[in-house]
Coordinates of all heavy atoms in Angstrom, one line a residue:
M1 N -8.2 -9.1 -3.0 CA -7.1 -8.8 -3.8 C -7.4 -8.9 -5.2 O -6.9 -8.1 -6.0 CB -5.9 -9.8 -3.5 CG -5.2 -9.4 -2.2 SD -3.9 -10.6 -1.9 CE -3.9 -10.7 -0.1
A2 N -8.1 -9.9 -5.6 CA -8.4 -10.1 -7.0 C -9.3 -9.0 -7.6 O -9.1 -8.7 -8.8 CB -9.2 -11.4 -7.2
D3 N -10.0 -8.3 -6.8 CA -10.9 -7.3 -7.3 C -10.3 -5.9 -7.2 O -10.9 -4.9 -7.4 CB -12.3 -7.3 -6.6 CG -12.1 -7.2 -5.1 OD1 -11.0 -7.2 -4.6 OD2 -13.1 -7.0 -4.4
R4 N -9.0 -5.9 -6.9 CA -8.4 -4.6 -6.8 C -8.1 -4.0 -8.2 O -7.6 -4.7 -9.1 CB -7.0 -4.7 -6.1 CG -6.3 -3.4 -6.0 CD -5.0 -3.5 -5.2 NE -4.0 -4.3 -5.9 CZ -3.2 -3.9 -6.9 NH1 -3.4 -2.7 -7.3 NH2 -2.3 -4.7 -7.4
P5 N -8.6 -2.8 -8.4 CA -8.3 -2.2 -9.7 C -6.8 -1.8 -9.8 O -6.2 -1.5 -8.8 CB -9.1 -0.9 -9.7 CG -9.3 -0.6 -8.3 CD -9.3 -1.9 -7.5
R6 N -6.3 -1.8 -11.0 CA -4.9 -1.5 -11.2 C -4.7 0.0 -10.9 O -5.6 0.8 -11.3 CB -4.4 -1.7 -12.6 CG -4.1 -3.2 -12.9 CD -3.7 -3.3 -14.3 NE -2.3 -2.9 -14.5 CZ -1.3 -3.7 -14.2 NH1 -1.5 -4.9 -13.6 NH2 0.0 -3.3 -14.3
H7 N -3.7 0.4 -10.2 CA -3.4 1.8 -10.0 C -3.0 2.5 -11.3 O -2.2 1.9 -12.1 CB -2.4 2.0 -8.9 CG -2.3 3.4 -8.4 ND1 -1.8 4.4 -9.1 CD2 -2.9 3.9 -7.3 CE1 -2.0 5.6 -8.4 NE2 -2.6 5.3 -7.3
P8 N -3.5 3.7 -11.6 CA -3.2 4.3 -12.9 C -1.7 4.7 -13.0 O -1.3 4.8 -14.2 CB -4.1 5.6 -12.9 CG -4.6 5.7 -11.5 CD -4.6 4.4 -10.8
H9 N -1.0 4.8 -12.0 CA 0.4 5.1 -12.1 C 1.2 3.8 -11.9 O 1.1 3.1 -10.9 CB 0.8 6.1 -11.0 CG 0.3 7.5 -11.4 ND1 0.9 8.2 -12.4 CD2 -0.7 8.2 -10.9 CE1 0.2 9.4 -12.5 NE2 -0.8 9.4 -11.6
K10 N 2.1 3.6 -12.9 CA 2.9 2.3 -12.9 C 3.7 2.1 -11.6 O 3.7 1.0 -11.1 CB 3.8 2.4 -14.1 CG 4.1 1.1 -14.7 CD 4.8 1.3 -16.1 CE 5.9 2.4 -16.1 NZ 6.5 2.6 -17.4
E11 N 4.3 3.2 -11.2 CA 5.2 3.0 -10.0 C 4.4 2.7 -8.7 O 4.9 1.9 -7.9 CB 6.0 4.3 -9.8 CG 7.1 4.5 -10.8 CD 7.6 5.9 -10.8 OE1 8.1 6.3 -9.8 OE2 7.5 6.5 -11.9
I12 N 3.3 3.3 -8.6 CA 2.5 3.1 -7.4 C 1.9 1.7 -7.5 O 1.8 0.9 -6.5 CB 1.4 4.2 -7.2 CG1 2.1 5.5 -7.0 CG2 0.5 3.8 -6.1 CD1 1.2 6.7 -7.0
E13 N 1.4 1.3 -8.7 CA 0.9 -0.1 -8.9 C 2.0 -1.1 -8.5 O 1.7 -2.1 -7.8 CB 0.5 -0.3 -10.4 CG 0.2 -1.7 -10.8 CD -1.0 -2.3 -10.0 OE1 -1.9 -1.5 -9.6 OE2 -1.0 -3.5 -9.9
A14 N 3.2 -0.9 -8.8 CA 4.3 -1.8 -8.5 C 4.5 -1.9 -7.0 O 4.7 -3.0 -6.4 CB 5.6 -1.3 -9.1
V15 N 4.4 -0.7 -6.3 CA 4.5 -0.7 -4.8 C 3.4 -1.5 -4.2 O 3.6 -2.2 -3.2 CB 4.6 0.8 -4.3 CG1 4.5 0.8 -2.8 CG2 5.8 1.4 -4.8
V16 N 2.1 -1.2 -4.7 CA 1.0 -1.9 -4.1 C 1.1 -3.4 -4.4 O 0.8 -4.2 -3.5 CB -0.3 -1.3 -4.7 CG1 -1.6 -2.1 -4.3 CG2 -0.5 0.1 -4.3
A17 N 1.5 -3.8 -5.5 CA 1.6 -5.2 -5.9 C 2.7 -5.9 -4.9 O 2.5 -7.0 -4.5 CB 2.0 -5.4 -7.3
E18 N 3.8 -5.1 -4.7 CA 4.8 -5.6 -3.8 C 4.3 -5.8 -2.4 O 4.5 -6.8 -1.7 CB 6.0 -4.6 -3.8 CG 7.1 -4.9 -2.9 CD 7.9 -6.2 -3.2 OE1 7.8 -6.7 -4.3 OE2 8.5 -6.7 -2.3
A19 N 3.5 -4.8 -2.0 CA 2.9 -4.9 -0.6 C 2.0 -6.2 -0.5 O 2.0 -6.9 0.5 CB 2.1 -3.7 -0.3
E20 N 1.2 -6.4 -1.6 CA 0.3 -7.6 -1.6 C 1.1 -8.9 -1.5 O 0.7 -9.8 -0.8 CB -0.5 -7.6 -2.8 CG -1.6 -6.6 -2.7 CD -2.5 -6.5 -3.9 OE1 -2.0 -6.9 -5.0 OE2 -3.7 -6.1 -3.8
R21 N 2.3 -8.9 -2.1 CA 3.2 -10.1 -2.0 C 3.6 -10.3 -0.6 O 3.9 -11.4 -0.2 CB 4.4 -9.9 -3.0 CG 4.1 -10.4 -4.4 CD 5.4 -10.7 -5.2 NE 6.1 -9.4 -5.4 CZ 5.8 -8.6 -6.4 NH1 4.8 -8.8 -7.2 NH2 6.5 -7.5 -6.6
K22 N 3.8 -9.2 0.1 CA 4.2 -9.3 1.5 C 3.0 -9.5 2.5 O 3.2 -9.5 3.7 CB 4.9 -8.0 1.9 CG 6.2 -7.9 1.2 CD 7.0 -6.6 1.6 CE 8.4 -6.6 1.1 NZ 9.0 -5.3 1.2
G23 N 1.8 -9.7 1.9 CA 0.7 -10.0 2.8 C -0.2 -8.9 3.1 O -1.1 -9.0 3.9
W24 N 0.1 -7.7 2.6 CA -0.8 -6.6 2.9 C -2.1 -6.7 2.1 O -2.1 -7.3 1.0 CB -0.1 -5.3 2.5 CG 1.0 -4.8 3.4 CD1 2.2 -5.6 3.6 CD2 1.1 -3.6 4.1 NE1 3.0 -4.9 4.5 CE2 2.4 -3.7 4.8 CE3 0.3 -2.5 4.3 CZ2 2.8 -2.7 5.7 CZ3 0.7 -1.5 5.1 CH2 2.0 -1.6 5.8
R25 N -3.2 -6.2 2.6 CA -4.4 -6.3 1.9 C -4.9 -4.9 1.5 O -4.8 -3.9 2.3 CB -5.5 -7.0 2.8 CG -5.4 -8.5 2.7 CD -5.8 -9.1 4.0 NE -5.1 -8.5 5.1 CZ -5.4 -8.8 6.4 NH1 -6.3 -9.6 6.7 NH2 -4.7 -8.2 7.4
W26 N -5.5 -4.8 0.4 CA -6.0 -3.6 -0.1 C -7.5 -3.5 0.1 O -8.2 -4.5 0.0 CB -5.8 -3.5 -1.6 CG -6.3 -2.3 -2.3 CD1 -5.7 -1.0 -2.4 CD2 -7.6 -2.1 -2.9 NE1 -6.5 -0.2 -3.0 CE2 -7.7 -0.8 -3.4 CE3 -8.7 -2.9 -3.1 CZ2 -8.8 -0.3 -4.0 CZ3 -9.8 -2.5 -3.8 CH2 -9.8 -1.1 -4.2
R27 N -8.0 -2.3 0.5 CA -9.4 -2.1 0.6 C -9.8 -0.8 0.0 O -9.0 0.2 0.1 CB -9.9 -2.1 2.1 CG -10.1 -3.5 2.6 CD -10.2 -3.5 4.1 NE -11.4 -2.8 4.6 CZ -11.7 -2.6 5.9 NH1 -10.8 -3.0 6.8 NH2 -12.8 -2.0 6.2
K28 N -10.9 -0.8 -0.7 CA -11.3 0.5 -1.3 C -11.7 1.5 -0.3 O -12.6 1.2 0.5 CB -12.5 0.2 -2.3 CG -13.0 1.4 -3.0 CD -14.0 1.0 -4.1 CE -14.6 2.3 -4.7 NZ -13.5 3.2 -5.2
M29 N -11.0 2.6 -0.2 CA -11.3 3.6 0.8 C -10.7 4.9 0.3 O -9.7 4.9 -0.4 CB -10.6 3.2 2.1 CG -11.3 2.3 3.0 SD -10.3 1.8 4.4 CE -10.9 2.9 5.7
G30 N -11.3 6.0 0.7 CA -10.8 7.3 0.3 C -10.7 7.5 -1.2 O -11.6 7.1 -1.9
H31 N -9.6 8.1 -1.6 CA -9.4 8.5 -3.0 C -9.1 7.3 -3.9 O -9.2 7.4 -5.1 CB -8.4 9.6 -3.2 CG -8.8 10.9 -2.5 ND1 -9.8 11.6 -3.0 CD2 -8.4 11.5 -1.4 CE1 -10.0 12.7 -2.3 NE2 -9.1 12.6 -1.3
W32 N -8.6 6.3 -3.4 CA -8.4 5.1 -4.2 C -8.5 3.8 -3.3 O -9.2 2.9 -3.6 CB -7.0 5.1 -4.9 CG -6.8 4.0 -5.9 CD1 -7.5 3.8 -7.1 CD2 -6.0 2.9 -5.7 NE1 -7.0 2.6 -7.6 CE2 -6.1 2.0 -6.8 CE3 -5.0 2.5 -4.7 CZ2 -5.4 0.8 -7.0 CZ3 -4.3 1.3 -4.9 CH2 -4.5 0.5 -6.0
G33 N -7.7 3.8 -2.3 CA -7.7 2.7 -1.4 C -6.7 2.8 -0.3 O -6.0 3.8 -0.1
R34 N -6.7 1.8 0.5 CA -5.8 1.8 1.7 C -5.2 0.4 1.9 O -5.9 -0.6 1.6 CB -6.7 2.1 2.9 CG -6.0 2.5 4.2 CD -7.0 3.2 5.1 NE -6.9 4.6 5.0 CZ -5.9 5.4 5.7 NH1 -5.1 4.8 6.5 NH2 -5.9 6.7 5.5
L35 N -4.0 0.3 2.2 CA -3.3 -1.0 2.4 C -3.2 -1.2 3.9 O -2.9 -0.4 4.7 CB -1.9 -0.9 1.8 CG -1.9 -1.0 0.3 CD1 -0.5 -0.6 -0.2 CD2 -2.2 -2.4 -0.2
F36 N -3.5 -2.5 4.3 CA -3.4 -2.9 5.7 C -2.4 -4.0 5.8 O -2.4 -4.9 5.0 CB -4.8 -3.4 6.2 CG -5.8 -2.3 6.2 CD1 -6.6 -2.0 5.1 CD2 -6.1 -1.7 7.4 CE1 -7.5 -1.0 5.1 CE2 -7.1 -0.7 7.4 CZ -7.8 -0.3 6.3
C37 N -1.5 -3.9 6.7 CA -0.4 -4.9 6.9 C -0.9 -6.2 7.4 O -2.1 -6.3 7.8 CB 0.7 -4.3 7.8 SG 0.6 -4.8 9.5
P38 N -0.1 -7.2 7.3 CA -0.6 -8.6 7.7 C -1.1 -8.7 9.1 O -1.8 -9.6 9.4 CB 0.7 -9.5 7.5 CG 1.6 -8.7 6.6 CD 1.3 -7.2 6.8
H39 N -0.7 -7.8 9.9 CA -1.1 -7.8 11.3 C -2.5 -7.1 11.3 O -2.6 -5.9 11.2 CB -0.1 -7.0 12.2 CG -0.5 -7.1 13.7 ND1 -0.3 -8.2 14.4 CD2 -1.0 -6.2 14.5 CE1 -0.7 -8.0 15.6 NE2 -1.1 -6.7 15.7
A40 N -3.5 -7.9 11.6 CA -4.9 -7.4 11.4 C -5.4 -6.6 12.6 O -6.5 -6.0 12.6 CB -5.8 -8.5 11.1
G41 N -4.7 -6.6 13.7 CA -5.1 -6.0 14.9 C -5.2 -4.5 14.8 O -4.9 -3.9 13.8
R42 N -5.7 -3.9 15.9 CA -5.8 -2.5 16.0 C -4.5 -1.7 15.8 O -4.5 -0.6 15.4 CB -6.3 -2.1 17.4 CG -7.7 -1.6 17.5 CD -8.1 -1.1 18.8 NE -7.2 -1.6 19.9 CZ -7.5 -1.5 21.2 NH1 -8.6 -0.8 21.6 NH2 -6.7 -2.0 22.1
D43 N -3.4 -2.4 16.2 CA -2.1 -1.7 16.1 C -1.4 -2.1 14.8 O -0.2 -1.9 14.7 CB -1.2 -2.1 17.3 CG -1.1 -3.6 17.6 OD1 -2.0 -4.3 17.0 OD2 -0.2 -4.0 18.3
G44 N -2.1 -2.7 13.9 CA -1.5 -3.0 12.6 C -1.3 -1.7 11.8 O -1.8 -0.7 12.1
C45 N -0.4 -1.8 10.8 CA 0.0 -0.6 10.0 C -1.0 -0.5 8.9 O -1.6 -1.4 8.5 CB 1.4 -0.8 9.4 SG 2.6 -1.5 10.5
Q46 N -1.2 0.8 8.5 CA -2.0 1.0 7.3 C -1.5 2.3 6.6 O -0.9 3.1 7.2 CB -3.5 1.1 7.7 CG -3.8 2.1 8.8 CD -5.2 2.3 9.0 OE1 -5.9 2.9 8.2 NE2 -5.8 1.6 10.1
V47 N -1.8 2.3 5.3 CA -1.3 3.5 4.6 C -2.3 3.7 3.4 O -2.8 2.8 2.8 CB 0.1 3.3 4.0 CG1 0.2 2.0 3.1 CG2 0.6 4.5 3.2
G48 N -2.7 5.0 3.3 CA -3.7 5.4 2.3 C -2.9 5.5 1.0 O -1.8 5.9 0.9
V49 N -3.6 5.1 -0.1 CA -3.0 5.2 -1.4 C -4.0 6.1 -2.3 O -5.1 5.8 -2.5 CB -2.9 3.8 -2.1 CG1 -2.2 4.0 -3.5 CG2 -2.0 2.9 -1.2
N50 N -3.4 7.2 -2.7 CA -4.2 8.1 -3.5 C -4.2 7.7 -5.0 O -3.2 7.4 -5.5 CB -3.5 9.5 -3.4 CG -4.4 10.6 -3.8 OD1 -5.2 10.5 -4.7 ND2 -4.3 11.8 -3.2
G51 N -5.4 7.8 -5.6 CA -5.5 7.4 -7.0 C -4.9 8.5 -7.9 O -4.5 8.2 -9.1
T52 N -4.9 9.7 -7.5 CA -4.5 10.8 -8.3 C -3.6 11.7 -7.5 O -3.9 12.9 -7.3 CB -5.7 11.6 -8.9 OG1 -6.5 12.0 -7.8 CG2 -6.5 10.8 -9.8
P53 N -2.4 11.2 -7.1 CA -1.5 12.1 -6.3 C -0.9 13.1 -7.2 O -0.7 12.9 -8.4 CB -0.4 11.1 -5.8 CG -0.5 9.9 -6.8 CD -1.9 9.9 -7.3
K54 N -0.6 14.3 -6.6 CA 0.0 15.4 -7.3 C 1.4 15.0 -7.8 O 1.8 15.3 -8.9 CB 0.2 16.6 -6.4 CG -1.1 17.4 -6.2 CD -0.8 18.8 -5.7 CE -2.0 19.4 -5.0 NZ -2.0 19.2 -3.6
N55 N 2.1 14.2 -7.0 CA 3.5 13.8 -7.4 C 3.5 12.2 -7.2 O 3.8 11.8 -6.1 CB 4.5 14.5 -6.5 CG 5.9 14.2 -6.9 OD1 6.2 13.1 -7.5 ND2 6.8 15.1 -6.6
P56 N 3.2 11.5 -8.2 CA 3.1 10.0 -8.1 C 4.4 9.4 -7.6 O 4.4 8.4 -6.8 CB 2.8 9.6 -9.5 CG 2.3 10.8 -10.2 CD 2.9 12.0 -9.6
E57 N 5.6 9.9 -8.0 CA 6.8 9.3 -7.6 C 7.1 9.5 -6.1 O 7.5 8.5 -5.4 CB 8.0 9.9 -8.4 CG 8.1 9.3 -9.8 CD 8.8 10.3 -10.7 OE1 9.7 11.0 -10.3 OE2 8.4 10.4 -11.9
D58 N 6.7 10.6 -5.6 CA 6.8 10.9 -4.2 C 5.9 10.1 -3.4 O 6.2 9.5 -2.4 CB 6.4 12.4 -4.0 CG 7.4 13.1 -3.2 OD1 8.6 13.1 -3.5 OD2 7.0 13.7 -2.2
H59 N 4.7 9.9 -4.0 CA 3.6 9.1 -3.3 C 4.0 7.7 -3.2 O 3.9 7.0 -2.2 CB 2.3 9.3 -4.0 CG 1.1 8.8 -3.2 ND1 0.9 9.1 -1.8 CD2 0.1 7.9 -3.5 CE1 -0.2 8.5 -1.4 NE2 -0.6 7.8 -2.3
A60 N 4.6 7.2 -4.3 CA 5.1 5.8 -4.3 C 6.1 5.6 -3.3 O 6.1 4.6 -2.5 CB 5.7 5.5 -5.7
R61 N 7.0 6.5 -3.1 CA 8.1 6.4 -2.1 C 7.5 6.5 -0.7 O 7.9 5.7 0.2 CB 9.1 7.6 -2.2 CG 10.2 7.2 -3.1 CD 11.4 8.2 -3.0 NE 11.0 9.5 -3.5 CZ 11.1 9.9 -4.7 NH1 11.6 9.1 -5.6 NH2 10.7 11.1 -5.1
Q62 N 6.5 7.3 -0.5 CA 5.8 7.4 0.8 C 5.1 6.1 1.2 O 5.3 5.7 2.3 CB 4.6 8.5 0.6 CG 4.5 9.5 1.6 CD 3.5 10.5 1.2 OE1 2.4 10.2 0.8 NE2 3.8 11.8 1.2
V63 N 4.4 5.5 0.2 CA 3.8 4.2 0.5 C 4.8 3.1 0.8 O 4.7 2.3 1.7 CB 2.8 3.8 -0.7 CG1 2.2 2.4 -0.5 CG2 1.7 4.9 -0.9
M64 N 5.9 3.2 0.0 CA 7.0 2.2 0.1 C 7.6 2.3 1.5 O 7.8 1.3 2.2 CB 8.0 2.5 -0.9 CG 8.8 1.3 -1.5 SD 10.1 1.8 -2.5 CE 9.2 2.6 -3.9
R65 N 7.8 3.5 2.0 CA 8.4 3.7 3.3 C 7.4 3.2 4.4 O 7.9 2.6 5.4 CB 8.6 5.2 3.6 CG 10.0 5.7 3.2 CD 10.3 7.0 3.9 NE 9.4 8.1 3.5 CZ 9.6 8.9 2.5 NH1 10.6 8.7 1.7 NH2 8.7 9.8 2.2
A66 N 6.1 3.4 4.3 CA 5.2 2.9 5.3 C 5.2 1.4 5.3 O 5.2 0.8 6.4 CB 3.8 3.4 4.9
I67 N 5.4 0.8 4.2 CA 5.5 -0.7 4.1 C 6.8 -1.2 4.7 O 6.8 -2.2 5.5 CB 5.3 -1.2 2.6 CG1 3.9 -0.9 2.2 CG2 5.6 -2.7 2.5 CD1 3.7 -0.8 0.7
A68 N 7.9 -0.5 4.4 CA 9.2 -0.9 5.0 C 9.2 -0.7 6.5 O 9.9 -1.5 7.2 CB 10.3 0.0 4.3
R69 N 8.5 0.2 7.0 CA 8.4 0.5 8.5 C 7.7 -0.6 9.2 O 7.8 -0.7 10.5 CB 7.7 1.8 8.8 CG 8.7 3.0 8.9 CD 8.0 4.1 9.6 NE 6.7 4.5 9.1 CZ 6.6 5.5 8.1 NH1 7.6 6.1 7.7 NH2 5.4 5.7 7.7
C70 N 6.8 -1.4 8.5 CA 6.0 -2.4 9.2 C 6.8 -3.4 9.9 O 7.6 -4.1 9.2 CB 5.0 -3.0 8.2 SG 4.2 -4.4 8.8
P71 N 6.6 -3.7 11.2 CA 7.4 -4.7 11.9 C 6.7 -6.1 11.8 O 7.2 -7.0 12.4 CB 7.5 -4.2 13.3 CG 6.2 -3.4 13.5 CD 5.8 -2.9 12.1
H72 N 5.6 -6.2 11.1 CA 4.8 -7.4 11.2 C 4.9 -8.3 10.0 O 4.1 -9.1 9.7 CB 3.3 -7.0 11.3 CG 3.0 -6.0 12.4 ND1 2.6 -4.7 12.2 CD2 3.1 -6.1 13.7 CE1 2.4 -4.1 13.3 NE2 2.7 -4.9 14.3
G73 N 6.0 -8.1 9.2 CA 6.2 -8.8 7.9 C 6.2 -10.3 8.1 O 6.6 -10.8 9.2
T74 N 5.7 -11.0 7.2 CA 5.6 -12.5 7.3 C 6.9 -13.1 6.7 O 7.2 -14.3 7.0 CB 4.4 -13.0 6.6 OG1 4.3 -12.5 5.2 CG2 3.1 -12.7 7.3
E75 N 7.6 -12.4 5.8 CA 8.7 -13.0 5.1 C 10.0 -12.7 5.8 O 10.8 -13.6 6.0 CB 8.8 -12.3 3.7 CG 7.8 -12.9 2.7 CD 8.0 -12.2 1.4 OE1 8.7 -11.2 1.2 OE2 7.3 -12.7 0.4
D76 N 10.2 -11.5 6.3 CA 11.5 -11.1 6.9 C 11.6 -11.4 8.4 O 12.6 -11.1 9.0 CB 11.8 -9.7 6.6 CG 11.8 -9.4 5.1 OD1 11.7 -10.3 4.3 OD2 11.8 -8.2 4.8
G77 N 10.6 -12.0 8.9 CA 10.7 -12.3 10.4 C 10.5 -11.1 11.2 O 10.2 -10.0 10.7
P78 N 10.7 -11.2 12.5 CA 10.4 -10.1 13.5 C 11.4 -9.0 13.3 O 12.5 -9.2 12.9 CB 10.5 -10.7 14.9 CG 11.1 -12.1 14.7 CD 11.1 -12.4 13.2
Ligands
ZN1 ZN1 2.5 -3.8 10.3

Protein backbone atom coordinates (compact mmCIF):
# COMPACT_ATOMS: atom_id res chain seq x y z
CA MET A 1 0.00 0.00 0.00
CA ALA A 2 2.78 2.37 0.92
CA ASP A 3 4.40 1.98 -2.48
CA ARG A 4 1.28 2.75 -4.44
CA PRO A 5 1.76 5.71 -6.75
CA ARG A 6 -0.91 8.39 -6.53
CA HIS A 7 -3.44 8.15 -9.30
CA PRO A 8 -3.13 11.14 -11.67
CA HIS A 9 -6.86 11.79 -11.46
CA LYS A 10 -8.07 13.22 -8.16
CA GLU A 11 -11.42 11.48 -8.19
CA ILE A 12 -9.99 8.06 -8.95
CA GLU A 13 -7.27 8.54 -6.34
CA ALA A 14 -10.02 9.24 -3.80
CA VAL A 15 -11.88 6.07 -4.78
CA VAL A 16 -8.70 3.98 -4.54
CA ALA A 17 -7.81 5.50 -1.15
CA GLU A 18 -11.34 4.76 0.07
CA ALA A 19 -11.00 1.15 -1.12
CA GLU A 20 -7.74 0.83 0.80
CA ARG A 21 -9.46 2.06 3.93
CA LYS A 22 -11.95 -0.78 3.43
CA GLY A 23 -9.14 -3.30 3.25
CA TRP A 24 -8.68 -3.58 -0.50
CA ARG A 25 -5.14 -4.04 -1.73
CA TRP A 26 -3.59 -2.47 -4.76
CA ARG A 27 -1.21 -4.26 -7.07
CA LYS A 28 0.62 -2.90 -10.06
CA MET A 29 -1.02 -4.57 -13.05
CA GLY A 30 -2.19 -3.58 -16.50
CA HIS A 31 -2.39 0.13 -17.30
CA TRP A 32 -2.03 1.29 -13.72
CA GLY A 33 -3.13 -1.28 -11.22
CA ARG A 34 -5.76 -3.56 -9.87
CA LEU A 35 -7.62 -3.57 -6.58
CA PHE A 36 -8.29 -6.80 -4.71
CA CYS A 37 -10.95 -6.98 -2.03
CA PRO A 38 -10.23 -8.13 1.55
CA HIS A 39 -11.31 -11.64 0.59
CA ALA A 40 -8.10 -13.06 -0.78
CA GLY A 41 -9.56 -16.27 -2.17
CA ARG A 42 -10.24 -17.21 -5.75
CA ASP A 43 -13.75 -15.83 -5.49
CA GLY A 44 -12.61 -12.49 -4.13
CA CYS A 45 -13.55 -9.35 -6.03
CA GLN A 46 -11.13 -7.38 -8.10
CA VAL A 47 -11.29 -4.35 -10.32
CA GLY A 48 -8.82 -2.93 -12.78
CA VAL A 49 -7.89 0.73 -12.44
CA ASN A 50 -6.78 2.51 -15.59
CA GLY A 51 -4.12 5.18 -15.24
CA THR A 52 -5.35 7.11 -18.26
CA PRO A 53 -9.07 6.46 -18.68
CA LYS A 54 -10.86 8.31 -21.48
CA ASN A 55 -13.50 9.43 -19.01
CA PRO A 56 -12.02 9.64 -15.51
CA GLU A 57 -15.33 10.49 -13.80
CA ASP A 58 -17.00 7.51 -15.41
CA HIS A 59 -14.10 5.26 -14.50
CA ALA A 60 -14.16 6.47 -10.89
CA ARG A 61 -17.84 5.54 -10.71
CA GLN A 62 -17.14 2.16 -12.30
CA VAL A 63 -14.46 1.35 -9.72
CA MET A 64 -16.67 2.68 -6.92
CA ARG A 65 -19.51 0.39 -8.02
CA ALA A 66 -17.23 -2.65 -8.05
CA ILE A 67 -16.16 -1.84 -4.50
CA ALA A 68 -19.75 -1.29 -3.38
CA ARG A 69 -20.76 -4.66 -4.85
CA CYS A 70 -18.17 -6.52 -2.76
CA PRO A 71 -19.87 -8.68 -0.11
CA HIS A 72 -16.61 -9.28 1.75
CA GLY A 73 -16.27 -5.91 3.51
CA THR A 74 -14.63 -5.88 6.92
CA GLU A 75 -16.42 -2.76 8.17
CA ASP A 76 -20.05 -3.19 7.17
CA GLY A 77 -20.33 -6.85 8.10
CA PRO A 78 -21.83 -9.58 5.90
ZN1 LIG B 1 -15.17 -8.99 -2.27
